[in-house]
Amino acid sequence: MSNVISVVQAFDRALIREIPGDDDRALEAKLAAAERALRERNSWLEPHRRGAILQRTASLLEAKQIHFAELIAREGGKPLTDATVEVIRAIDGLRNAAEELRHFGGREIPMGLTGASEGRWAFTTKEPIGVVAAISAFNHPLNLIVHQIAPAIAVGCPVIVKPAVPTPLSCLELVELFREAGLDERWCQAFVTDDNALAERLATDPRVAFLSFIGSARVGWYLRSKLAPGTRCALEHGGAAPVIVDASAKLDRIIEPIVKGGYYHAGQVCVSTQRIFVHTDVLADFVERLAARVKSLRVGDPRLPETEVGPLIHPREADRVASWIHEAVEGGARLIGGGRPSETTLVPSILIEPAADAKVSRLEVFGPVTCVYGFRELDEAIDVANSLPFAFQASVFSTNIGPALRAARRLDASAVMVNDHTAFRTDWMPFAGRRQSGYGIGGIPWSMEAMSQEKMLVLRYDGLGLET
């Protein structure tokens, strides 16, 4: 341990705790311990023991639900009501991983289909892929960690998890709960560093068989290009999620979900609603209703139960988002809302018709901003929605089945929500970015598949002494 990392509250930058950072010697020790756990097959845990540890950890987390929610609100800036939901999801995610083990197995491979395959019986079994390195993001500092390490523990992979520098505390305390639940340290270790070179060494070490990365596309795709031969990976990045509002949509019912999708956690969500395409027949009414609801959002200290929108994670992120808003307004967009009550807090804003080349139209904002554009023809809106080099989740609001299905079929997205916001997710559904937005499929059952590998056994019983 060579340096100290100061963890501060996202809202007011007040110090929460100082923690020791890991150095290169600590990284080597953790990798060696993980590799040793994998190599010593007699120490592998049976599925029932892995499942029991996951269930016990879920119960321990449930007993500390209030504590973890407050910790998420402090270090990550997520409003307390949403932080509470995150803890509930994390508890459920641990149990999902344990329960998935009941269905997690191989399959029979047909034999006897040709003369050459007679007298044989073949089937597959599941084995852990190897050491997992998990590099996580700040915006869901508990639940993202669960999504990365619970599948690894479930399938029997040793896992080393690096939390985001601003939000390590939820991760460290969760790892301690696994210890309390009976998991040997070698099977789940936290690696805390603010040294990007060390993080890269973790990801690219040849002893790592699988990299789980959640964060920026620039870093994720770079790390993928540097992985050791044979290392598999899953990358989860972000996008600029589109919503299409058809002329038939009931405006009194859609404003609330759209606001939730756009301003939840101050827009710091990889599938946050960002680009809203509204049919011109209802555009003026939609903007009026959206503006009224956005202006009523309660902004402030995330620890207060009434807060709906909290801070951004760092002052430089508030600077960046504010500069993008300014650029859009300078380029002709109309601004509704806005303002900066503190160095990390932005008042939610709406940009009406920003230019196509504005950053807010081309890039992921990751802040409390939505952009509204009018359209006349549905295919025109779909073409613009599909025009960016990344794609994740999308939405269409309509009471007519024709436009809803046409948009659902033609939007370039891994998931299309009909009459719901783009940020909807359950933890057992597949979750994946397309193109530059990601690689591989997340979601606990899918991650378990990715972190395992099949081995086929072929038994020849014809004439070789095996009786049937």
Side-chain angles (χ1 to χ4, degrees):
M1 306 291 184
S2 61
N3 67 311
V4 173
I5 294 174
S6 298
V7 184
V8 302
Q9 294 186 155
F11 179 65
D12 58 10
R13 313 300 291 165
L15 181 68
I16 302 174
R17 195 183 308 165
E18 290 185 333
I19 60 172
D22 288 316
D23 58 16
D24 54 350
R25 289 174 296 179
L27 175 59
E28 175 56 34
K30 291 173 191 288
L31 284 165
E35 183 189 37
R36 190 163 57 251
L38 187 71
R39 190 171 59 246
E40 296 172 358
R41 288 194 170 223
N42 288 338
S43 69
W44 286 13
L45 300 177
E46 292 294 327
H48 72 91
R49 293 187 62 193
R50 288 180 250 136
I53 287 169
L54 287 161
Q55 293 283 14
R56 283 198 293 271
T57 305
S59 297
L60 291 169
L61 180 56
E62 193 168 35
K64 301 186 73 173
Q65 179 177 319
I66 294 174
H67 167 75
F68 271 89
E70 291 173 344
L71 188 58
I72 292 167
R74 295 183 70 194
E75 67 174 345
K78 180 177 289 186
L80 186 61
T81 53
D82 295 324
T84 300
V85 172
E86 178 174 343
V87 180
I88 293 169
R89 286 180 57 185
I91 295 165
D92 189 55
L94 292 166
R95 290 178 174 149
N96 284 343
E99 292 162 4
E100 184 65 22
L101 284 171
R102 295 185 179 274
H103 315 286
F104 192 72
R107 61 192 180 95
E108 183 179 357
I109 308 299
M111 291 286 121
L113 300 178
T114 64
S117 64
E118 289 181 5
R120 291 168 175 83
W121 180 33
F123 58 91
T124 64
T125 61
K126 298 279 194 180
E127 293 188 344
I129 195 171
V131 176
V132 171
I135 297 178
S136 205
F138 76 85
N139 53 334
H140 307 289
L142 177 66
N143 200 40
L144 289 182
I145 299 293
V146 166
H147 271 261
Q148 292 174 288
I149 67 177
I153 291 168
V155 303
C157 291
V159 58
I160 302 171
V161 57
K162 192 200 92 63
V165 176
T167 56
L169 302 180
S170 296
C171 174
L172 290 171
E173 294 201 17
L174 177 65
V175 170
E176 285 304 312
L177 292 187
F178 275 108
R179 303 268 189 282
E180 189 177 343
L183 185 67
D184 185 271
E185 181 178 358
R186 298 177 302 168
W187 293 99
C188 182
Q189 303 174 85
F191 178 67
V192 180
T193 183
D194 56 4
D195 185 334
N196 291 335
L198 277 182
E200 181 177 337
R201 281 177 55 187
L202 167 64
T204 59
D205 190 279
R207 288 166 288 189
V208 170
F210 190 89
L211 169 66
S212 170
F213 177 87
I214 303 174
S216 77
R218 179 184 61 81
V219 175
W221 290 107
Y222 168 78
L223 288 177
R224 180 173 179 264
S225 74
K226 298 293 183 179
L227 294 181
T231 302
R232 273 52 173 172
C233 70
L235 310 178
E236 184 181 309
H237 305 317
V243 169
I244 292 177
V245 179
D246 178 53
S248 70
K250 293 188 179 298
L251 299 188
D252 57 335
R253 297 184 183 179
I254 74 171
I255 295 300
E256 199 61 35
I258 287 177
V259 169
K260 184 66 175 179
Y263 300 95
Y264 164 65
H265 198 10
Q268 298 170 115
V269 180
C270 61
V271 286
S272 180
T273 296
Q274 181 173 323
R275 297 175 296 149
I276 308 171
F277 301 92
V278 184
H279 196 281
T280 52
D281 287 354
V282 295
L283 179 59
D285 193 8
F286 175 86
V287 169
E288 182 180 351
R289 291 168 183 259
L290 180 66
R293 180 64 183 100
V294 170
K295 287 178 180 179
S296 74
L297 289 170
R298 295 183 293 274
V299 182
D301 189 336
R303 296 170 295 176
L304 301 177
E306 64 270 19
T307 298
E308 295 174 283
V309 178
L312 298 180
I313 192 63
H314 196 278
R316 65 173 173 267
E317 286 299 296
D319 291 341
R320 177 188 59 78
V321 175
S323 72
W324 287 18
I325 294 170
H326 178 74
E327 178 206 54
V329 172
E330 288 290 300
R334 176 163 68 96
L335 175 64
I336 298 173
R340 188 171 181 174
S342 78
E343 63 175 343
T344 57
T345 309
L346 296 178
V347 175
S349 59
I350 306 166
L351 290 167
I352 310 299
E353 299 287 0
D357 61 352
K359 290 185 178 68
V360 295
S361 295
R362 296 185 294 108
L363 304 172
E364 181 180 27
V365 174
F366 225 60
V369 182
T370 59
C371 305
V372 178
Y373 314 82
F375 75 87
R376 172 56 60 183
E377 298 296 332
L378 178 60
D379 285 356
E380 164 199 339
I382 293 171
D383 287 345
V384 178
N386 290 344
S387 65
L388 301 182
F390 34 77
F392 214 139
Q393 297 194 163
S395 292
V396 54
F397 288 86
S398 176
T399 59
N400 288 344
I401 192 68
L405 291 183
R406 186 172 183 84
R409 292 187 60 155
R410 291 175 177 251
L411 282 167
D412 187 5
S414 58
V416 178
M417 312 302 164
V418 179
N419 293 327
D420 207 347
H421 61 75
T422 60
F424 173 80
R425 182 186 185 184
T426 66
D427 298 300
W428 58 87
M429 72 187 225
F431 191 70
R434 289 185 173 183
R435 292 187 279 161
Q436 293 183 22
S437 288
Y439 183 82
I441 302 175
I444 285 169
W446 283 266
S447 293
M448 288 173 64
E449 287 288 344
M451 293 177 184
S452 64
Q453 52 192 351
E454 285 194 329
K455 175 183 284 182
M456 188 170 68
L457 280 71
V458 182
L459 280 69
R460 183 176 179 182
Y461 57 80
D462 184 18
L464 293 180
L466 295 178
E467 300 296 331
T468 61

